[in-house]
Amino acid sequence: MKRTVVAICIIIPIMLVVAWFALPQKVQTILLTINNMSAGLTMKSIDLPFGRVHYLEGGRTQYEAETVVLLHGVFARKEHWVDLARELTPHFHVIALDLPGFGDNDPLSPDHYLLKNQAQNLRSVLASLGISKAHFGANSMGAQIAGLLAIEQPELFQSLAFIGSPLGVKGKVKSDMEIAIENGHIPLLARTESEFNQRNAWLFPITPTLPSPILKTWMKQEISTPEQNENIWHAANSFIDTPTLMKLAPQLEMPTLIIWCKEDRIFHVSGADVLDAKLPNSSRKILYECGHLPMLDKAELVAHLYLVFLHEIGH
């Protein structure tokens, strides 16, 4: 009996190590599920005419607390919000979406990634989920989409928070990414494993640690469609017939929070003052030692600032 117990104690760790490296996709599913549950979130999905949309939902019910909807940026995903959502779920009904065509959702045709069409798809998702009023926290491309939707449907927005620099705002100083694009390089477009790894240096001053099965699975998923990624990038950054967030800002009358990192290389921090001056009802917070995704590298601080903001506006 003792030999059996010893053998089991040896075999199980070996099996876990083998699975960690040989079955990264299955391991990442387990790890993400555990992390989601620890934050009070559950994976769900809903079918719409343009495809299935996956999302995380948790916290208090929609009938006993106000809703917070979290929107990611280009090539990002719902799981990027989990550490922030962990602080929100005791107080709010929380939904973190994979925007249509991103994350675990099936890819869509290129026209779906045009900003105005993304806003319409988001409207359809929210209507299908029964969300008629919510606080919105959005990053990068998600912020521009939220701005478009807020103009069309202002009654939907109790508040708006730009968590990390938003797309559609030009700072007084060009960012490192804007300079790189002028020179023919798109830092956020990852078509190979090397480019995927290099992108982290653009997004974070210090890259947050992720378990390798999660990182490998996400990387494999993204770089498997290089041509599609390029189409998505160009569609999601096209402002033909679409006003920028800067042009929309004077019409966004809901309470608005701007959280922008000093070391953000994607959009220069000078844009925070420019945006703040355009918004009718805003406050801004400049953070240090973080990059374009502060909900990842400064999750607890960002969550604290967001909760203070929500409390101050009476929610």
Side-chain angles (χ1 to χ4, degrees):
M1 183 66 179
K2 288 183 179 179
R3 290 181 180 178
T4 302
V5 172
V6 170
I8 291 173
C9 290
I10 293 173
I11 292 171
I12 289 178
I14 291 174
M15 291 176 64
L16 290 173
V17 170
V18 171
W20 186 271
F21 293 101
L23 302 169
Q25 187 168 358
K26 291 188 177 182
V27 173
Q28 73 99 26
T29 299
I30 295 170
L31 294 176
L32 290 177
T33 299
I34 292 171
N35 195 45
N36 294 339
M37 291 176 61
S38 73
L41 299 169
T42 302
M43 170 81 85
K44 298 183 179 181
S45 64
I46 186 170
D47 290 316
L48 291 159
F50 46 78
R52 179 166 294 180
V53 173
H54 294 81
Y55 62 99
L56 298 172
E57 182 175 25
R60 300 174 67 183
T61 70
Q62 190 172 348
Y63 305 101
E64 64 183 8
E66 294 177 342
T67 297
V68 174
V69 176
L70 301 170
L71 307 174
H72 62 73
V74 69
F75 305 129
R77 53 193 305 130
K78 60 189 178 302
E79 286 83 8
H80 290 177
W81 294 105
V82 171
D83 287 341
L84 171 64
R86 191 186 314 279
E87 308 301 322
L88 301 179
T89 49
H91 313 283
F92 293 94
H93 171 232
V94 178
I95 292 177
L97 294 172
D98 270 341
L99 288 169
F102 291 98
D104 291 323
N105 302 330
D106 290 334
L108 301 174
S109 59
D111 61 298
H112 277 278
Y113 296 97
L114 293 170
L115 294 165
K116 61 181 180 181
N117 292 340
Q118 290 202 61
Q120 292 304 314
N121 287 343
L122 175 58
R123 171 190 277 183
S124 298
V125 174
L126 296 172
S128 296
L129 293 176
I131 304 300
S132 59
K133 185 173 287 190
H135 303 279
F136 286 78
N139 173 261
S140 198
M141 179 194 72
Q144 170 70 40
I145 295 168
L148 290 169
L149 184 58
I151 294 298
E152 297 174 359
Q153 205 170 346
E155 71 280 2
L156 183 60
F157 285 71
Q158 291 176 273
S159 71
L160 178 56
F162 301 124
I163 300 176
S165 58
L167 176 65
V169 176
K170 290 285 187 182
K172 297 176 182 178
V173 178
K174 287 183 180 180
S175 70
D176 289 348
M177 185 185 76
E178 289 167 335
I179 295 171
I181 290 174
E182 288 178 357
N183 292 324
H185 173 53
I186 304 175
L188 299 189
L189 184 56
R191 291 156 293 197
T192 66
E193 181 175 348
S194 175
E195 288 180 345
F196 185 92
N197 292 326
Q198 290 170 13
R199 185 171 63 191
N200 286 336
W202 284 87
L203 293 174
F204 308 102
I206 301 175
T207 303
T209 301
L210 275 178
S212 63
I214 295 176
L215 196 61
K216 287 181 179 179
T217 300
W218 289 352
M219 177 180 65
K220 183 178 180 181
Q221 178 181 344
E222 185 173 338
I223 68 174
S224 65
T225 56
E227 184 177 340
Q228 175 186 300
N229 294 346
E230 191 160 355
N231 290 335
I232 290 172
W233 171 265
H234 291 299
N237 284 275
S238 171
F239 284 92
I240 298 174
D241 299 326
T242 301
T244 66
L245 185 61
M246 278 299 297
K247 291 182 179 178
L248 300 174
Q251 304 172 64
L252 301 176
E253 298 181 351
M254 68 287 296
T256 305
L257 173 65
I258 303 166
I259 297 178
W260 205 306
C261 291
K262 181 72 166 59
E263 293 85 0
D264 192 332
R265 300 181 66 195
I266 307 306
F267 300 119
H268 194 271
V269 68
S270 60
D273 287 337
V274 176
L275 180 58
D276 190 36
K278 292 282 187 179
L279 290 163
N281 185 14
S282 63
S283 59
R284 68 168 185 77
K285 302 291 183 182
I286 305 300
L287 306 187
Y288 296 85
E289 298 179 356
C290 56
H292 189 55
L293 306 173
M295 68 281 200
L296 284 174
D297 46 10
K298 290 286 182 181
E300 290 187 8
L301 176 57
V302 171
H304 170 73
L305 293 173
Y306 194 22
L307 284 170
V308 168
F309 165 74
L310 293 171
H311 174 74
E312 287 177 346
I313 63 175
H315 302 284

